[in-house]
Each structure stands twice: as C-alpha cells, then as structure tokens.
C-alpha cells in the first residue's frame, strides 16, 4: 500500500470559498487507491451544462503518475446538454503541492464559473486547467499549499447548493504527505538510546493517515 510509504503531514481546508450551510455531496480522490505515483501529478475538471438554462456542475479526476482516478460523482444526476474539460498537468517529474481555485462571474449568463490551477514541485508558478472558460470577473480566489517537502496525495471535494443562483458551490481539502525517510542506522552496541528522542515534526495541520476513496451524498 502507498500509505505505508508516506507520512501524512497535514489536512488543508476548507479553502474559505462561499458555501451554503448544507453540504449535498462529498467525495475523496486519493492516490492511495491507484497503482501509480503516491502524489497527484494532474487535475482534470469537467464543466457540465444543463439544458434549458439549468444549473451547471463540475466533476473532478486526479492523475497520479500513469494512473487516473475515476471521475467524481458529485451530481446532481441530470441529463447534461454539453460539457467542457480542462486538465492542469505538472511538468515531469514534479508533483502537485498546491491548488488555486478561482470563481468568476459571467454577467451575460448570470452564472458563476470556476477555474483551477496547480502549484507544482518547488516552484511558485501555477499550471492552469485550460479549456474550461471563465467568468468576466474573478469574484473569489482561494488556494492552499502543502508544507515544504510534502505534496498532494489526495483531496476532498464537497458540493453545496446555492438557491439564489444558477450554479452549485464547491469546497476543497488537501491531503498533504511526504515520502518517509529511510530507517536510521542502529547505534553501535553499548549506546544508551533512551537519552535520544526525535524532535516532533511541525505538521502545519491535522496529521494522520487517510483511507481510500469515499463518497457521501444526500
């Protein structure tokens, strides 16, 4: 299992995007369930358009090296009229360590649209998920980056309902992890190891191993 190779350092989120009190669906996308790299290397987003002016929706998929997760199933379960897809891909061999989410407004369509970018490797530059389009203006921009030396091993995506708009709302939480260091060399015979203690690592968030994919829906 990939989790045996990782030290989970932090959970970062929610991002603080506008969100209703009631969550309609939550799903976890995790590299742990895939036979690939232990960290996210790409994020794909599908923007779905409902017919007859209905509300839009978004679904998500992660890539971990050569392996892809299944698309999320956050819903709502409608027949979609059209869709757009965009993918943010980290340049090899970098993994993603941060996510930026922009929510923009299209005044002509009276609808909100999301765009997504990954922060990859040790660089602060962002890689955009092209092809999604966007709003006329950016209403909100929120992002999180994993602690130094750690990367995104999975993410939680939650969907909520905005009753006064033609859109759903989304929130995100990042699962940050790092590769465990090699086992230390045992001290020579006769050393009293009780006088030595490893310093606690500042995780910058709630630490602890995470499970595989899960989804909740109402």
């Amino acid at each position: 299992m990939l989790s045996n190779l990782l030290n989970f350092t932090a959970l970062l989120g929610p991002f603080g995007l506008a969100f209703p009190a009631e969550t309609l669906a939550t799903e976890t996308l995790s590299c742990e369930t895939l036979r690939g790299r232990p960290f996210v290397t790409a994020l794909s987003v599908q923007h779905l358009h409902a017919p007859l002016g209905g509300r839009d929706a978004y679904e998500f998929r992660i890539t971990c090296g050569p392996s892809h997760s299944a698309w999320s199933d956050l819903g709502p379960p409608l027949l979609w009229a059209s869709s757009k897809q965009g993918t943010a891909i980290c340049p090899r061999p970098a993994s993603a360590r941060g996510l930026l989410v922009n929510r923009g407004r299209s005044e002509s369509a009276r609808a909100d649209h999301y765009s997504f970018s990954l922060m990859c490797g040790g660089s602060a530059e962002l890689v955009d998920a092209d092809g999604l389009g966007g709003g006329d203006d950016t209403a909100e921009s929120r992002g999180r980056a994993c602690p130094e030396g750690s990367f995104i091993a999975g993410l939680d995506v939650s969907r909520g309902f905005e009753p006064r708009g033609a859109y759903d709302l989304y929130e995100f939480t990042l699962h940050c992890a790092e590769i465990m260091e090699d086992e230390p060399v045992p001290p020579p015979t006769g050393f009293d190891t009780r006088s030595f203690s490893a310093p606690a690592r500042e995780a910058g968030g709630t630490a602890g191993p995470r499970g595989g994919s899960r989804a909740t829906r109402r």
Side-chain angles (χ1 to χ4, degrees):
M1 295 290 291
L2 288 175
S3 58
N4 294 333
L5 305 175
L6 300 180
N7 176 36
F8 285 82
T9 59
L11 289 178
L12 301 181
F15 279 28
L17 294 160
F19 206 74
E22 184 177 10
T23 299
L24 299 181
T26 297
E27 190 161 342
T28 296
L29 304 176
S30 175
C31 291
E32 184 179 358
T33 62
L34 304 175
R35 291 186 176 181
R37 294 175 61 178
F39 304 122
V40 172
T41 55
L43 173 68
S44 298
V45 183
Q46 188 168 217
H47 181 189
L48 301 162
H49 302 273
L52 303 176
R55 55 199 314 118
D56 293 351
Y58 290 82
E59 300 291 356
F60 303 87
R61 181 178 74 178
I62 59 171
T63 300
C64 305
S67 300
H68 306 282
S69 72
W71 284 99
S72 62
D73 189 19
L74 295 167
L78 300 175
L79 294 176
W80 302 104
S82 61
S83 67
K84 297 178 182 178
Q85 288 188 18
T87 300
I89 305 174
C90 288
R92 295 181 179 180
S95 298
R97 67 182 185 92
L99 173 65
L100 178 70
V101 181
N102 292 312
R103 185 177 67 85
R105 182 73 175 173
S106 175
E107 293 296 342
S108 58
R110 301 298 297 172
D112 283 45
H113 301 280
Y114 287 83
S115 62
F116 304 86
S117 304
L118 290 179
M119 182 182 295
C120 301
S123 173
E125 295 184 4
L126 297 172
V127 179
D128 299 331
D130 296 327
L132 294 177
D136 302 329
D137 298 296
T138 298
E140 289 184 284
S141 181
R142 298 287 188 274
R144 296 287 186 274
C146 291
E148 184 177 355
S150 61
F151 301 91
I152 302 172
L155 69 155
D156 299 333
V157 186
S158 298
R159 176 178 67 88
F161 183 76
E162 169 53 60
R164 291 174 296 176
Y167 54 90
D168 287 343
L169 296 173
Y170 297 85
E171 259 294 5
F172 304 86
T173 298
L174 303 183
H175 300 219
C176 299
E178 62 184 1
I179 296 290
M180 288 185 177
E181 296 182 0
D182 295 335
E183 292 293 329
V185 177
T189 304
F191 268 55
D192 184 1
T193 59
R194 291 174 298 177
S195 61
F196 295 85
S197 60
R201 187 182 188 285
E202 293 184 2
T206 304
R210 304 292 296 176
S213 297
R214 69 179 187 275
T216 58
R217 179 184 303 281
R218 287 192 288 166

